[in-house]
Amino acid sequence: MIKQQANLDWMLKDLAEGVPQTRHVVVLSADGLRMAQYGTDHDTADRLAAACAGLQSLAGAVASELPHSDGRMRLVVIEMDGGFFYLMAAGAGAYLAVLAGEGVDAGLMGQRMRDLVLRIGEHLSSPPRQDGQGTR
């Protein structure tokens, strides 16, 4: 588990440092638990992860209204005053979230996030919980 965390840390750092204006990078489980982070403290990462759980659920509900959709969310982008928020599916039961400043190159961010998900998808998968506990 420690080796996996170290792998995620440098990969998240690579994304954050490779895209100017990146503020926070968080990997979370579908139920809103922080799995890894870069560029942020634990409290902020936990709040972002919890908010993302609701957002991915909402996006899935909207996606299910499309006739040929499988109902799964792939990417959500929110533009706000001061920046952008990105949430991308990143493996079975896992998501990659990024908060970036308003000067971020949106195309570059999307490309780098996709590249990261493809490179480390197996590291970003979150196994289902049993009896309220994660697997060890």
Side-chain angles (χ1 to χ4, degrees):
M1 180 71 166
I2 293 173
K3 184 177 181 182
Q4 180 181 358
Q5 181 66 40
N7 286 340
L8 285 176
D9 288 349
W10 76 261
M11 291 180 193
L12 298 181
K13 179 180 178 183
D14 186 49
L15 171 67
E17 293 181 353
V19 182
Q21 297 288 314
T22 300
R23 303 284 187 250
H24 308 291
V25 181
V26 179
V27 176
L28 60 131
S29 64
D31 55 357
L33 296 177
R34 171 183 43 86
M35 297 167 60
Q37 72 198 50
Y38 182 81
T40 189
D41 58 82
H42 290 303
D43 290 340
T44 300
D46 286 341
R47 284 191 305 274
L48 285 172
C52 289
L55 185 57
Q56 62 87 17
S57 178
L58 178 62
V62 171
S64 68
E65 297 301 319
L66 293 170
H68 301 290
S69 174
D70 60 8
R72 290 185 289 172
M73 183 279 300
R74 284 192 237 158
L75 174 67
V76 172
V77 179
I78 300 173
E79 181 178 2
M80 316 161 264
D81 286 340
F84 292 86
F85 174 75
Y86 301 86
L87 179 63
M88 182 178 284
Y95 296 87
L96 174 63
V98 176
L99 200 56
E102 62 189 346
V104 70
D105 180 331
L108 179 61
M109 179 61 78
Q111 177 185 6
R112 292 289 177 94
M113 286 178 73
R114 282 185 191 93
D115 291 347
L116 178 61
V117 166
L118 288 173
R119 278 184 17 224
I120 62 170
E122 67 276 0
H123 296 286
L124 295 182
S125 295
S126 174
R129 295 177 186 282
Q130 297 176 352
D131 299 324
Q133 300 294 318
T135 58
R136 295 183 197 265

